[in-house]
Amino acid sequence: MRRSLFLLLVCAAAVATPVALADDVVSGVVKDPSGAPVPGATVRLEAVNGAMLASGTTGVEGRFRFDRLTGQRALLVVEAPEFERFVQTLP
């Protein structure tokens, strides 16, 4: 059974909402449904045309951070073993 990932994105101003972005930064914490961080999750930022903009893995605390091209719509994709794939469109 695959569990769901919970993703909390935060902007540089430290406002925590389900979707919050600074103009040039996408950062956040990947957590499981119990609120525990998910280290080692693969996080990708993709252009809507499928081009890879950035990729990385979460740290021990489930955190990630990407610089983002201002004004470009993107998809945030998160994958981890034993969890469902998470995809969110970013404005």
Side-chain angles (χ1 to χ4, degrees), residues 68-79:
R68 181 169 175 251
L69 302 174
T70 303
Q72 189 174 67
R73 290 192 58 177
L75 297 176
L76 183 68
V77 180
V78 181
E79 296 177 303

Side-chain angles (χ1 to χ4, degrees), residues 23-26 45 47 53 66-74 91:
D23 285 339
D24 59 351
V25 173
V26 175
L45 193 60
L53 301 174
F66 297 126
D67 291 334
R68 181 169 175 251
L69 302 174
T70 303
Q72 189 174 67
R73 290 192 58 177

Side-chain angles (χ1 to χ4, degrees), residues 1-6 30-31 33 41-42 77-87:
M1 180 175 180
R2 297 178 78 77
R3 299 180 287 169
S4 296
L5 288 171
F6 174 73
V30 178
K31 296 183 177 185
T42 300
V77 180
V78 181
E79 296 177 303
E82 300 182 25
F83 289 93
E84 293 178 11
R85 183 175 188 243
F86 177 92
V87 179

